[in-house]
Amino acid sequence: MSDLKNKLREKIEGWRPRTVKLLKEYGDVSLGDVKISQAIGGMRGVKCLVTDISYLDPFEGIRFRGYTIPEVLEKLPKPEDGEVPLVEGFIYLLLTGDLPTGSDVNAIAEEFNTRKEVPKYVFDVLNAMPEDTHPMVMLSAAVVSMQRESEFVKMYNKGMSKMVYWEPTYEDALNLLARLPEIGAYIYRKKYKGGDIIPSDPSLDMGANFAHMMGIDKPYDDMSRLYFILHSDHESGNVSAHTGHLVASALSDPYYATSAMINGLAGPLHGLANQEVLRWIQGVMDKMGGKTPDKEEMKKFVWDTLNSGQVIPGYGHAVLRKTDPRYTAQREFCLKHLPDDPIFEYVNTLYEVVPDILKEHGKAKNPWPNVDAQSGVIQWHYGLREYDYYTVLFSIGRAIGVLSNIVWDRALGYPIERPKSLTTAMLEEIAFGKK
Ligand code: CMX
């Protein structure tokens, strides 16, 4: 077993007094007012969540445990035959806040091997589903079907102190993280490759093993590592992260919480946008008879979409106000590995025309591309053309951040979430009373 749990125990014990002090001595300090526009408008910008796993600055983009994406890609241990850090080391970073050594990473990879066997009944559940079931439904159902494995539930039913809630939560989290790539690859091979399942290879790290089980050659191992790292976390307010946190706050175990976060990610305004981008581009390609549109032609397609009342998938963001660094990291991968890919050309042309059009259109607060604008292109290039599947990849990555947060939620004793709602009449009274 790795030393990760002991390391985490040390970190948690050191951290707890900070939270206790803030709560006990500074609990009445205000973080700001809430406006009517925020109550009606999806709580945009309301500061009411706490996480140390990642922080999203509107102009800089995401930092994971204080590190920007280029720093993460540079500083974490990499495999001998790859350029992108090992996902196991990234998990160590998100959980502990420290950069792991190469031997820390190897120990976690070995530990994952002991945790990754998926119970047979999970495959029976998947095999029983209708053929046209969406892969996100399959993933969510597979995860929740494993709830009977929960160590948290077993310990809770026996009776345990709040101080140790995090320990069985950690066990559930690591078991899930080890199993999700296995389940994800099974869903792909079952649904799209006639059930020709490729067994897991215990000698490989998470990214390489996932590429192997998907049946896709190098550099898809690096691509998988990059994809899981980039999609892991985006602080706590986005739908998937918040859903995971919310459900877990009721002490629902990590299986329930992860299945719920997957359901949130399945929305077209959130994680499903990556499949929508590909669908949109394919629609343009069909209309163009395979020819790449020039800028003027592309502008027309973008305006047609906007004028029909639809959004341009892959553009805009609730927090970001610049090009998403997750987009940029994937773009750099494309420039290196697939510069001549025709769909990459589409994505580039879109990058040249969409921001100005969205500015002129005047609605979106952020006219720049987000993570989803680029990710489908790479998958398509490596032969993964079943774009319904793309959000499953996002889910495997997002689980890393959501589960790290849930472990810390339990460690710091965050309570059940319960914001207050008002009626429309109450809002009117408050609003008109003030005029
Ligand atoms: N195309 C057209 N219109 C857009 C737009 C886009 N890409 N992005 C925002 N707008 C519109 C909104 O629909 C909204 O219109 P209404 O006033 O008519 O309701 C207006 O601009 C203001 O929206 P906003 O404050 O800029 O954005 P929100 O915080 O409400 O929503 C998001 C953010 C991501 C849902 C939105 O930008 C969007 O729908 N983008 C396209 C879908 C997408 O790429 N989603 C993936 C996001 C990343 C992720 O979470 O995975």
Side-chain angles (χ1 to χ4, degrees):
M1 287 299 235
S2 73
D3 201 33
L4 179 58
K5 194 169 181 183
N6 288 333
K7 173 95 183 170
L8 194 52
R9 182 176 288 109
E10 255 174 54
K11 290 278 169 185
I12 288 167
E13 281 165 11
W15 206 277
R16 276 179 174 152
R18 297 174 65 184
T19 304
V20 170
K21 181 173 178 164
L22 282 169
L23 204 53
K24 291 244 157 83
E25 296 176 32
Y26 300 92
D28 287 335
V29 174
S30 170
L31 296 177
D33 295 331
V34 179
K35 299 194 179 92
I36 286 178
S37 60
Q38 293 171 306
I40 294 177
M43 296 186 278
R44 247 8 135 265
V46 178
K47 296 182 186 115
C48 58
L49 291 165
V50 187
T51 177
D52 298 290
I53 308 292
S54 68
Y55 180 74
L56 181 59
D57 179 89
F59 297 98
E60 185 191 53
I62 193 72
R63 276 183 186 259
F64 299 113
R65 288 288 191 176
Y67 296 102
T68 62
I69 288 172
E71 286 167 351
V72 164
L73 297 181
E74 188 217 314
K75 289 180 192 293
L76 284 172
K78 299 184 178 70
E80 276 172 18
D81 60 346
E83 294 166 5
V84 179
L86 293 152
V87 182
E88 289 85 343
F90 182 70
I91 293 172
Y92 184 104
L93 172 67
L94 288 200
L95 276 169
T96 67
D98 290 347
L99 293 170
T101 62
S103 64
D104 290 331
V105 176
N106 291 340
I108 301 177
E110 275 171 32
E111 182 172 339
F112 271 28
N113 268 324
T114 67
R115 293 178 181 269
K116 71 182 170 201
E117 192 175 333
V118 177
K120 183 184 166 294
Y121 63 80
V122 176
F123 300 125
D124 293 341
V125 168
L126 292 174
N127 294 338
M129 297 179 103
E131 270 183 22
D132 62 353
T133 306
H134 194 283
M136 285 297 276
V137 177
M138 297 173 82
L139 184 67
S140 176
V143 168
V144 85
S145 77
M146 275 194 295
Q147 188 275 340
R148 63 195 288 282
E149 309 290 326
S150 172
E151 295 298 322
F152 181 85
V153 170
K154 285 178 204 154
M155 295 288 291
Y156 189 83
N157 289 344
K158 278 189 202 155
M160 78 177 140
S161 151
K162 272 189 175 184
M163 296 303 278
V164 295
Y165 277 0
W166 74 269
E167 297 202 28
T169 305
Y170 167 91
E171 299 299 333
D172 284 350
L174 258 64
N175 287 340
L176 258 169
L177 290 176
R179 290 173 189 170
L180 277 168
E182 312 273 317
I183 296 170
Y186 184 91
I187 291 171
Y188 180 70
R189 303 288 307 182
K190 176 184 158 39
K191 190 167 168 67
Y192 303 112
K193 299 292 167 191
D196 179 13
I197 307 300
I198 303 174
S200 186
D201 180 344
S203 70
L204 299 174
D205 63 273
M206 187 190 275
N209 191 32
F210 183 72
H212 156 78
M213 290 185 293
M214 293 291 284
I216 308 179
D217 292 337
K218 274 179 173 300
Y220 195 72
D221 50 354
D222 259 346
M223 181 59 236
S224 303
R225 295 181 191 111
L226 183 68
Y227 205 94
F228 295 154
I229 289 172
L230 293 182
H231 288 80
S232 62
D233 206 32
H234 222 216
E235 67 170 44
S236 286
N238 65 79
V239 169
S240 52
H242 189 199
T243 305
H245 165 80
L246 171 67
V247 172
S249 84
L251 295 189
S252 302
D253 61 64
Y255 293 88
Y256 280 125
T258 303
S259 175
M261 85 82 179
I262 290 168
N263 298 343
L265 199 61
L269 294 187
H270 191 21
L272 214 73
N274 54 19
Q275 89 168 49
E276 298 298 312
V277 171
L278 250 286
R279 198 197 303 279
W280 191 91
I281 290 177
Q282 295 294 325
V284 175
M285 279 179 130
D286 285 350
K287 284 182 199 140
M288 290 295 295
K291 177 180 155 289
T292 307
D294 60 27
K295 276 201 209 173
E296 289 313 307
E297 287 164 329
M298 191 66 102
K299 281 181 189 171
K300 186 182 171 313
F301 286 115
V302 173
W303 273 116
D304 285 351
T305 299
L306 290 171
N307 290 336
S308 65
Q310 297 170 67
V311 296
I312 306 299
Y315 280 77
H317 200 270
V319 179
L320 277 169
R321 294 296 175 258
K322 63 162 263 186
T323 297
D324 190 335
R326 301 172 298 173
Y327 173 92
T328 311
Q330 294 183 89
R331 181 179 155 78
E332 279 162 17
F333 187 95
C334 290
L335 285 169
K336 182 158 186 195
H337 295 284
L338 44 131
D340 302 323
D341 183 282
I343 304 188
F344 182 48
E345 273 183 50
Y346 266 71
V347 171
N348 273 335
T349 313
L350 280 169
Y351 192 28
E352 287 171 25
V353 304
V354 172
D356 281 344
I357 294 178
L358 284 179
K359 283 180 207 165
E360 191 181 333
H361 185 241
K363 274 191 168 184
K365 295 190 187 69
N366 177 39
W368 303 104
N370 60 55
V371 65
D372 294 318
Q374 189 78 248
S375 53
V377 180
I378 311 183
Q379 300 301 337
W380 185 272
H381 180 85
Y382 291 115
L384 211 161
R385 301 198 163 173
E386 301 84 1
Y387 45 72
D388 274 4
Y389 182 78
Y390 294 167
T391 316
V392 171
L393 302 168
F394 195 153
S395 307
I396 298 172
R398 182 50 53 97
I400 300 172
V402 168
L403 287 163
S404 301
N405 269 294
I406 292 173
V407 171
W408 275 91
D409 290 348
R410 294 290 72 81
L412 299 177
Y414 289 167
I416 186 164
E417 206 178 280
R418 184 45 168 106
K420 181 82 187 89
S421 51
L422 301 174
T423 64
T424 305
M426 287 171 187
L427 293 188
E428 285 166 346
E429 206 180 305
I430 294 167
F432 307 152
K434 277 196 177 163
K435 276 198 174 156

